[in-house]
Amino acid sequence: MRLAGLRHLATLANSSVPAAEVMPARIRGRVPEAIWRRTSARLHKKPLHPLCTLRTEIASYFENRHPGVFNMHSDLSPIVTTKQCFDDLLVPVDHPSRAPTDTYYVDDDVVLRTHMTAHDVAFMQQGKTALLLCGDVYRRDTVDRTHYPVFHQVDSMRLYPPATERALIQRDLQADLTGLAYHLFGSDAKLRWVDGYFPFTSPSFELEVFWEGEWLELLGCGLLHREVLFKANVASDVNGWAFGLGLERLAMVLFQIPDIRLFWSEDERFASQFSSGTLSDRFKPFSSFPSVEKDISFWVNGNFHENDLCEIARSLGGDLVENVSLLDRFQRDGNISLCYRMVFRSMERSLTHDEINNIYYDIRESVATSLPVTLR
Ligand code: DAH
């Protein structure tokens, strides 16, 4: 009964998740409260928010280039089945991205989507031949200025008339995407294509842009894998392309936003800097408040995963946790000792030592009781 209900939620196209407060605990399942709260934030729909600006910018690029072809869906529920998120997309059963250390499992076969591609097959099954999807995706990860357990993606697919040559579809895809990159980065941007790997496309490519001295990965794409098309009930002489891109990294570069936590800031000094709602907005940091650093050392007794430590730090320290990184590792008498440094900083104010000490001791206690380690 319980699983059937969840699967129902996961397969409802166009349904949004109820706010965390009204979400019954049984549906939250194993997902931490702080993460559930994010499912109703919908930053990509918040007017003048840089992620919303980027979303509409991408949608209007495709609308201008191919009027009436691509519909954008931005209200799909992030609760999906493992079948939608992984199996239908040929992600191998033992792929690390499926592990509970990397993915938020609601139940054994229901997850918070780790990518927007999770919806592609369902839309193809409904007979859709072109779409743009935008939404929030969830991954357990390390904690630093460019990683956050929730981020946003745009994903797209297009199917072509029967018997269209695959070479032509690939040329079309690459022309649309270099056009998008020039639209976002300016017509003098330096771009390059590199081979990529995604289980659901073959061949696969990545588009990179040269920005402030380095090559930056902009997006992944490719021709939809025959077997994915088969699962989507697409006729055997029909082919198509797909691509996906993350909005945060892109927005950080375009709007000069130095820390991914800022997207979640309620501070007016952040929001007020994006008043034009166009790509010409630039962020000027309001100030840099001092950081407080705390170290935690322990002996590892079992299957320790860094993401579990980061999750504890994030759930107790919230957005005050700026970075968690391995400082030292050594081995003695066959035992492994790790030392992690946690950096705390607020984007908005100075922190007091007392407040950080309290968080730090809570983190220590939670680590000691819930992870396979012994504090030193
Ligand atoms: N889903 C991939 C990810 O999250 C990105 C991606 C790559 C999407 C290639 C696509 C694609 O649709 O064709 O990393």
Side-chain angles (χ1 to χ4, degrees):
M1 177 62 203
R2 175 177 171 217
L3 273 178
L6 284 174
R7 268 198 226 99
H8 173 66
L9 209 62
T11 48
L12 276 181
N14 298 323
S15 73
S16 12
V17 178
E21 308 80 68
V22 299
M23 179 71 78
R26 70 177 175 83
I27 294 184
R28 287 210 309 272
R30 307 171 197 157
V31 177
E33 173 71 29
I35 297 297
W36 267 117
R37 252 183 275 124
R38 304 301 190 194
T39 61
S40 49
R42 309 166 52 65
L43 300 182
H44 60 293
K45 296 287 292 282
K46 196 170 162 186
L48 298 183
H49 191 282
L51 297 176
C52 182
T53 299
L54 201 46
R55 173 182 70 82
T56 52
E57 207 50 62
I58 294 170
S60 62
Y61 164 81
F62 277 97
E63 184 53 31
N64 288 335
R65 200 174 163 93
H66 305 286
V69 172
F70 292 90
N71 271 327
M72 185 176 257
H73 301 259
S74 308
D75 299 309
L76 300 163
S77 164
I79 306 171
V80 301
T81 59
T82 47
K83 180 172 180 298
Q84 292 172 298
C85 201
F86 304 122
D87 301 334
D88 285 352
L89 297 169
L90 316 178
V91 177
V93 191
D94 56 354
H95 195 272
S97 68
R98 285 183 180 242
T101 47
D102 287 47
T103 295
Y104 290 103
Y105 277 79
V106 178
D107 232 315
D108 287 346
D109 55 3
V110 178
V111 297
L112 293 184
R113 65 186 167 210
T114 60
H115 56 175
M116 290 305 291
T117 320
H119 300 286
D120 285 8
V121 167
F123 277 104
M124 287 189 268
Q125 282 167 346
Q126 291 168 22
K128 294 280 188 297
T129 53
L131 47 90
L132 280 164
L133 309 174
C134 183
D136 37 331
V137 301
Y138 297 77
R139 293 185 197 173
R140 301 184 78 210
D141 212 328
T142 47
V143 172
D144 63 34
R145 280 170 182 265
T146 59
H147 289 89
Y148 201 83
V150 191
F151 59 103
H152 297 75
Q153 286 186 331
V154 164
D155 203 279
S156 178
M157 71 86 187
R158 185 173 193 183
L159 299 178
Y160 283 70
T164 307
E165 260 181 71
R166 284 170 64 83
L168 185 143
I169 298 175
Q170 184 180 326
R171 272 203 303 280
D172 234 26
L173 166 69
Q174 293 185 310
D176 279 353
L177 293 179
T178 48
L180 175 65
Y182 288 130
H183 177 73
L184 297 174
F185 286 88
S187 51
D188 54 351
K190 213 164 123 191
L191 307 176
R192 74 174 180 195
W193 286 101
V194 298
D195 289 339
Y197 169 76
F198 305 101
F200 40 90
T201 49
S202 175
S204 305
F205 311 96
E206 286 173 6
L207 180 56
E208 297 184 339
V209 55
F210 197 70
W211 191 256
E212 289 175 349
E214 45 180 346
W215 286 102
L216 211 93
E217 184 196 320
L218 183 57
L219 55 83
C221 67
L223 298 198
L224 282 160
H225 199 291
R226 199 57 267 153
E227 215 173 307
V228 174
L229 294 169
F230 178 74
K231 285 178 192 286
N233 302 329
V234 169
S236 61
D237 58 348
V238 168
N239 281 295
W241 57 243
F243 79 84
L245 61 82
L247 293 185
E248 270 81 349
R249 300 275 180 92
L250 190 53
M252 287 175 81
V253 168
L254 291 172
F255 300 111
Q256 295 173 7
I257 297 170
D259 191 303
I260 196 165
R261 290 173 295 166
L262 282 161
F263 291 107
W264 298 89
S265 170
E266 301 279 339
D267 195 316
E268 255 311 293
R269 288 170 298 176
F270 178 74
S272 64
Q273 297 200 37
F274 300 95
S275 53
S276 87
T278 69
L279 292 178
S280 58
D281 284 329
R282 288 290 172 278
F283 178 70
K284 276 180 230 66
F286 12 96
S287 73
S288 186
F289 293 96
S291 64
V292 179
E293 299 180 352
K294 294 279 173 195
D295 296 345
I296 183 166
S297 307
F298 45 80
W299 294 106
V300 175
N301 308 325
N303 205 354
F304 167 79
H305 197 294
E306 192 168 282
N307 287 355
D308 293 330
L309 171 66
C310 291
E311 176 86 34
I312 290 174
R314 269 277 197 234
S315 58
L316 295 171
D319 284 358
L320 298 183
V321 185
E322 176 175 285
N323 192 290
V324 179
S325 57
L326 185 63
L327 197 62
D328 186 46
R329 177 187 196 280
F330 72 85
Q331 206 159 352
R332 189 192 297 154
D333 304 330
N335 295 317
I336 292 171
S337 165
L338 302 176
C339 176
Y340 280 88
R341 172 152 296 172
M342 299 182 277
V343 179
F344 298 86
R345 191 198 310 266
S346 165
M347 303 269 129
E348 288 140 21
R349 60 191 175 81
S350 286
L351 300 172
T352 67
H353 277 274
D354 278 355
E355 129 185 71
I356 295 309
N357 277 335
N358 287 337
I359 295 173
Y360 174 63
Y361 284 112
D362 287 348
I363 292 174
R364 285 183 68 89
E365 191 182 317
S366 177
V367 166
T369 52
S370 61
L371 301 186
V373 305
T374 307
L375 295 185
R376 305 181 50 214

